[in-house]
Amino acid sequence: MEETIGEPPTSAVLLDHCHFSQVIFNSVEKFYVPGGDVTCYYTLTQHFIPRRKDWIGIFRVGWKTTREYYTFMWVTLPTDLNSEAAKQQEVQFKAYYLPKDDEYYQFCYVDQDGVVRGASIPFQFRPENEEDILVVTTQGEVEEIEQHNKELRKENKELKDSCVSLQKQNSDLQAELQKKQEELETLKSISKKLEETMKEQKDSWKTELLQLKEQSQKMSSENERMGVRVDQLQAQLSTQEKEMEKLVQRVQEKTEQVEQLKKENGQLFLNLTEQRAHQKTLEQTVEEMKQQRTTAAKKQQELTDQNFDLSKKLSENKIIYSTLQKEKERMEKENDLLKRENSRLLSYMGLDHDSLPYQAPTSNPGGARRSPGLVYGNPYSGIQESSAPSLLSIKKCPTCKSDFGDDIFNHTLEQDVQSPSLNCPICDKYFPAKEKQIFEDHVFCHTL
């Protein structure tokens, strides 16, 4: 596998098709001529923002993770992401790093987190004059590619529909807001005209009332004749006052409606602001979830490694403990066998265990005198000082642990005194009486 300078960020996670439509590859040929440079053209969609360590790799068709790239090139970040020219980008692969076989390959855009953001159609590297040969991949790969393309088209359509829906909703809100503002301005104008009309009419009524009063004073002599006219004018004035009160009440109602429209306008503006903030929060949440997923995967790997190390140490400690436990049990068994053999030999030679100058350590270790080189002392010491045989204290064979009757031990003792030969009570081997020391050593060896 050929590589350029530096290692790109990759991921061991299996491929995820949900992000493949964020970068679109353009003008991809069905085959490229070996020995020449290859230029890769691609387009960045409005839902994707490139970063510094993004790269484009050539992958053999059938890849599973981004670690399986053949070669790669770092992408160039555009200076202005909002311009239309920044959406159209290209990278050039040198001929030296391109594959030499005729397998199918494809371009893949990988971000600095090791996630694939776009994939091209498959292509080959073969000579131009070579006859076109139809290369059929496996049915599973064809179905997988078709399913992948279908999912990409579906996702692209859903994103476009969502974008159009949001733009339409925004336009509707803006139009409704503009309409409410125009209605508010109209109501303000009507209210202002009504106030001016009411003021003019009120001034007119005041002037007319003053004139009527003056006429009433001037025509006091004609009061009786003009009394009916005065009553009529007063009734008309009362009616006009009631109408004026109604107009004032209508003006107040219009003013309250204007205030209500102002509140509704403010609420619509707040809703629009909250929707924008919610959309931004959702985008931040999606980014944080991606980072948390990457951090959780790394943390899980670290915990797995720590668990493996601890399990390994625990297994080693268990093995060491089991070995030490077995060694302890073996030493205890050997110690018990030696104690029994010592007592058996003392009883076999007719010695009293309590009459010996040396006592095997039982409950007070270190208090008895020990012979150098022997764990429990010399079993043959004190034979010359012993004057009378003691009772038999062991009833079992030190090797097979079988029970013996008193007559067997008595027979052995009588054989030691009367018979000119010595008989081993374990293997029935005979020894001459003059080879008593060899016979005792032979019996002792059965316990080893």
Side-chain angles (χ1 to χ4, degrees):
M1 180 182 295
E2 298 292 335
E3 298 181 357
T4 57
I5 299 175
E7 290 293 336
T10 59
S11 174
V13 181
L14 295 178
L15 57 87
D16 186 3
H17 296 161
C18 63
H19 303 296
F20 279 20
S21 61
Q22 296 182 356
V23 177
I24 301 173
F25 289 91
N26 306 319
S27 303
V28 179
E29 302 292 340
K30 293 183 179 179
F31 65 90
Y32 293 94
V33 179
D37 297 342
V38 174
T39 302
C40 173
Y41 301 94
Y42 60 95
T43 302
L44 302 176
T45 63
Q46 60 181 355
H47 304 288
F48 178 72
I49 299 176
R51 292 183 286 179
R52 186 173 60 86
K53 288 189 177 182
D54 293 356
W55 54 281
I56 294 178
I58 296 179
F59 291 76
R60 181 177 294 176
V61 173
W63 59 275
K64 297 299 181 183
T65 65
T66 54
R67 294 181 178 179
E68 302 176 22
Y69 66 92
Y70 185 90
T71 184
F72 78 98
M73 290 294 295
W74 298 108
V75 301
T76 303
L77 293 179
T79 56
D80 187 7
L81 295 175
N82 296 325
S83 64
E84 187 65 27
K87 304 299 182 181
Q88 304 292 333
Q89 299 292 324
E90 64 180 56
V91 294
Q92 189 177 50
F93 291 89
K94 297 297 182 181
Y96 176 77
Y97 298 104
L98 297 176
K100 303 299 188 295
D101 54 22
D102 58 352
E103 296 288 338
Y104 276 88
Y105 293 87
Q106 64 181 149
F107 298 115
C108 291
Y109 189 103
V110 185
D111 63 8
Q112 68 179 16
D113 296 326
V115 179
V116 177
R117 300 295 180 175
S120 71
I121 61 174
F123 55 85
Q124 287 181 291
F125 293 94
R126 59 184 177 88
E128 187 174 4
N129 57 357
E130 183 180 351
E131 296 182 358
D132 292 336
I133 299 174
L134 178 61
V135 179
V136 180
T137 59
T138 62
Q139 183 65 24
E141 292 177 348
V142 172
E143 292 177 356
E144 183 179 356
I145 292 173
E146 290 179 354
Q147 182 67 21
H148 172 55
N149 292 333
K150 184 177 179 181
E151 291 176 356
L152 290 179
R153 288 194 294 269
K154 182 179 179 181
E155 183 179 359
N156 190 18
K157 185 176 182 303
E158 290 177 354
L159 290 173
K160 288 182 179 179
D161 294 342
S162 177
C163 181
V164 170
S165 176
L166 289 174
Q167 290 177 353
K168 185 176 182 303
Q169 185 178 2
N170 189 18
S171 300
D172 294 340
L173 290 174
Q174 292 290 343
E176 185 177 357
L177 179 62
Q178 184 68 24
K179 184 178 179 181
K180 293 294 183 182
Q181 289 178 351
E182 291 176 356
E183 291 178 357
L184 179 62
E185 293 295 332
T186 304
L187 290 175
K188 286 182 178 179
S189 177
I190 294 172
S191 177
K192 187 176 180 180
K193 290 181 180 179
L194 287 175
E195 288 176 357
E196 291 176 356
T197 303
M198 183 181 66
K199 184 177 180 181
E200 292 176 357
Q201 192 172 5
K202 188 176 181 180
D203 293 339
S204 177
W205 288 342
K206 286 182 179 180
T207 304
E208 188 176 355
L209 181 60
L210 290 174
Q211 291 176 358
L212 288 174
K213 286 182 179 180
E214 289 176 357
Q215 290 178 3
S216 178
Q217 290 176 0
K218 289 179 181 180
M219 298 178 67
S220 58
S221 58
E222 300 177 358
N223 189 21
E224 295 178 356
R225 185 174 60 85
M226 297 296 293
V228 176
R229 179 62 179 170
V230 171
D231 293 335
Q232 293 176 353
L233 289 174
Q234 287 180 350
Q236 185 179 1
L237 179 62
S238 176
T239 303
Q240 289 179 350
E241 287 178 351
K242 291 180 179 180
E243 290 178 355
M244 186 176 66
E245 290 177 357
K246 291 180 179 180
L247 288 174
V248 171
Q249 185 176 2
R250 288 179 61 186
V251 169
Q252 291 178 352
E253 291 176 355
K254 294 294 183 182
T255 305
E256 292 176 356
Q257 291 180 0
V258 169
E259 294 296 330
Q260 184 66 26
L261 290 174
K262 286 182 179 179
K263 291 181 180 179
E264 291 178 358
N265 187 18
Q267 186 65 32
L268 288 173
F269 183 77
L270 289 176
N271 291 338
L272 181 59
T273 305
E274 290 176 356
Q275 287 182 358
R276 292 177 179 174
H278 182 63
Q279 182 178 3
K280 187 176 180 181
T281 303
L282 288 177
E283 293 176 354
Q284 293 177 355
T285 304
V286 170
E287 190 65 23
E288 290 175 358
M289 289 177 67
K290 291 178 181 179
Q291 296 177 358
Q292 289 177 1
R293 183 178 65 181
T294 304
T295 304
K298 293 180 180 179
K299 186 65 177 179
Q300 183 179 5
Q301 184 63 32
E302 292 176 359
L303 292 175
T304 303
D305 295 339
Q306 292 179 3
N307 189 19
F308 177 77
D309 294 337
L310 291 175
S311 300
K312 185 176 180 181
K313 290 181 179 179
L314 180 61
S315 300
E316 293 175 355
N317 290 334
K318 285 183 177 180
I319 293 172
I320 294 173
Y321 174 78
S322 177
T323 304
L324 293 176
Q325 188 71 19
K326 291 179 180 179
E327 183 66 18
K328 178 183 176 183
E329 293 175 357
R330 188 183 65 82
M331 295 297 293
E332 289 177 352
K333 290 180 179 179
E334 291 181 0
N335 188 15
D336 185 65
L337 288 175
L338 290 173
K339 287 181 179 180
R340 293 181 179 181
E341 182 61 17
N342 188 15
S343 300
R344 189 191 67 80
L345 290 174
L346 292 174
S347 300
Y348 178 76
M349 291 182 293
L351 299 178
D352 187 3
H353 187 273
D354 297 330
S355 65
L356 294 177
Y358 168 80
Q359 297 293 331
T362 56
S363 62
N364 186 20
R369 178 173 53 87
R370 297 182 179 181
S371 298
L374 296 176
V375 179
Y376 297 103
N378 186 2
Y380 306 113
S381 62
I383 296 177
Q384 300 297 330
E385 290 81 358
S386 177
S387 59
S390 62
L391 296 176
L392 297 175
S393 60
I394 297 177
K395 301 299 182 178
K396 290 186 178 181
C397 175
T399 302
C400 62
K401 307 302 180 182
S402 300
D403 294 332
F404 294 102
D406 293 338
D407 56 345
I408 296 176
F409 286 92
N410 295 332
H411 174 72
T412 304
L413 293 175
E414 291 176 359
Q415 188 181 29
D416 291 342
V417 178
Q418 299 175 3
S419 176
S421 61
L422 300 175
N423 185 16
C424 178
I426 299 173
C427 63
D428 293 334
K429 187 176 181 180
Y430 289 92
F431 294 88
K434 61 182 180 179
E435 296 179 355
K436 183 178 181 180
Q437 183 63 41
I438 298 175
F439 167 73
E440 294 174 352
D441 293 339
H442 170 76
V443 174
F444 178 74
C445 290
H446 278 293
T447 63
L448 300 180

